[in-house]
Each structure stands twice: as C-alpha cells, then as structure tokens.
Amino acid sequence: MDRPDSAFRAGTAVTAAALAGAWLRGLGSRLDTARQRLFVFPHAGAGASTYRLAAHLPPSIEVCTLQLPGRESRFAEPALTSLDEAVTTLAPIVADHTDLPYAFFGHSMGSLIAFETARRLRALGGRLPGHLFLSGMRAPGLPDRDPRHALPDDELLATAEFAGLDAELRELLLPVLRADLTLCETYAFRAETPLPCALTVLAGSDDDSVTEAELAGWREHTSADFDVHLFPGAPHLYVRSAEPQLAEIIARALPARD
C-alpha cells in the first residue's frame, strides 16, 4: 500500500504536469531528438498557435510556446492583467523544464514576459537561459509613448490590431487585448544587475512602435554578448512572415549540441 506521503507526491506531480501542459504548448514534442529547448512568448492578443517556429527549426530544438489564460485552449479563463502575476506563476513552471540548455524568444509583450521570467528564475536560483531573443519591444524602463489600455471600447477597436476582423471576432478579442495592454502598460520596471545571458534584439525596420535607440537600450540589461537585427521593410507584426529567417538566426546563435 502506498504511504500517504507517496500518494501526495504523486498527486503533486500530476498537478505540476497538468499545469505545465496548460501553459507550455509543445512540451515533450521532441523527446527523442531534443538537445535544446526554445520557450516562445507571444505578443499581445496572440495565442500559442500564432507561432510556428518549430516547423523551421531542427529536430534538436524543442519549441514550447506560452499559452496565456484567456485565449485558444484557455479561452474560458480570465486573462491576466499583471506582469508580476504572470511571471510568479510561469517562472517555477519553466524552472521544472530546464533539464536541457534553453533559450527564450519573445515578441512585443512577450519580450517583457521573457525578460522578467529570466530575472525571476535568477532570483529563484534556477538555471538561466543561455540566450534571450527579444523582438519588437523597447528596452524596459523606457516610457510608453501611447498608452491604450484605458481607451474606450470604440477607440480601442479602431486600432490596427482589429483591422480586417469581423464584428464577432473583434468582440471576442477585445477583453484579451485590453488585458494584455494593461499588463504591459502597468509594468513597473525595477533595476537589477544585468543578466549574464547573451541577448539578441530584433525588429522590423518599418516598425513605428519602437526606435533603434529604444532597441539599443536593451544593451544595459546583459553582461554578455549583445546584437541588434532589423528585418528590412518589415512592420511590427513581422514574425509570421519572417519565421524561416528568424529560425535561422536563432539556430545559428545557439551552439550545436551532440
């Protein structure tokens, strides 16, 4: 007969696995071939299925994409409005899956979540990512130029994120995007020692939401290698159209593993 503490540990393991499965899409998808892991953090309003980097990366890299509450398979859950709350939940989940060398890729809002998750992992004493790929977001601590989370519904619906969507889909996405904008625009940066992780900053050259100076500001947040890469002629939401090139940059930056 199992001892009560054994049953408790088994139940805890099941709960942890279920939690990881909810938050990380693609976890365990390359068990036989993975030598590294890439955690992907989507932009505001997006779910995990928006990103298909796995199709362009070698079998040696397992891709785990963050699925935040309020979208796709987690549509029934309330969306988070606090970056600190998101990181408090996410960092221990990631820490349980750092058995392989790993990196982070985040776009826009995802860059902030990835950056703060790395800092929270350091505070927890966990294994850190070897590389951060942060895209389409100004360096933390710089002010938002055009806060939108408190706009009336009609004004928020008139923004670029809703262009071309039918009325029903706009109504479904509005609360999620407002929550994500709140998460980003109420984020309070706290100065810490730079991370010892290599950092590559990426953006479209025609992204009018961020300047080259704001991208270069990330330099002070790493004590390791730093690089900026611009995709010529690309707008803010360039990722899907540039996934093959993006995957090539990521794969080239990560050291090969036997």
Side-chain angles (χ1 to χ4, degrees), residues 6-25:
S6 298
F8 174 78
R9 286 195 298 270
T12 301
V14 170
T15 301
L19 192 61
W23 282 80
L24 301 174
R25 311 299 292 178

Side-chain angles (χ1 to χ4, degrees), residues 17 26 65 119 133 171 189 205 207 238:
T65 305
R119 299 214 298 178
F133 300 91
E171 185 177 346
F189 171 71
S205 65
D207 184 349
Y238 73 91

Side-chain angles (χ1 to χ4, degrees), residues 48-211:
S49 67
T50 304
Y51 292 75
R52 299 177 183 173
L53 279 168
H56 306 286
L57 287 166
S60 59
I61 301 176
E62 180 178 84
V63 179
C64 300
T65 305
L66 176 65
Q67 186 75 287
L68 285 168
R71 60 218 78 200
E72 297 181 358
S73 60
R74 306 185 68 185
F75 180 77
E77 302 175 53
L80 301 176
T81 57
S82 163
L83 192 145
D84 188 63
E85 181 182 356
V87 168
T88 296
T89 302
L90 183 60
I93 296 172
V94 171
D96 285 342
H97 297 91
T98 58
D99 50 306
L100 298 175
Y102 73 100
F104 285 166
F105 169 77
H107 180 61
S108 198
M109 175 184 75
S111 293
L112 289 181
I113 299 177
F115 172 68
E116 285 296 342
T117 298
R119 299 214 298 178
R120 184 64 58 88
L121 286 165
R122 177 173 62 181
L124 294 172
R127 183 180 191 175
L128 294 180
H131 208 117
L132 301 180
F133 300 91
L134 305 178
S135 170
M137 175 56 73
R138 71 189 67 82
L142 299 179
D144 285 307
R145 283 186 263 124
D146 185 24
R148 295 179 292 157
H149 72 274
L151 288 176
D153 285 355
D154 58 340
E155 293 185 33
L156 189 53
L157 285 167
T159 58
E161 287 85 352
F162 294 96
L165 301 180
D166 62 47
E168 184 177 359
L169 187 54
R170 285 154 56 107
E171 185 177 346
L172 287 172
L173 291 179
L174 181 61
V176 175
L177 183 62
R178 187 181 297 282
D180 288 353
L181 291 173
T182 302
L183 183 150
C184 293
E185 294 171 1
T186 60
Y187 162 61
F189 171 71
R190 294 179 291 271
E192 293 183 10
T193 303
L195 288 165
C197 314
L199 203 161
T200 297
V201 174
L202 311 112
S205 65
D206 290 353
D207 184 349
D208 59 8
S209 72
V210 64
T211 67

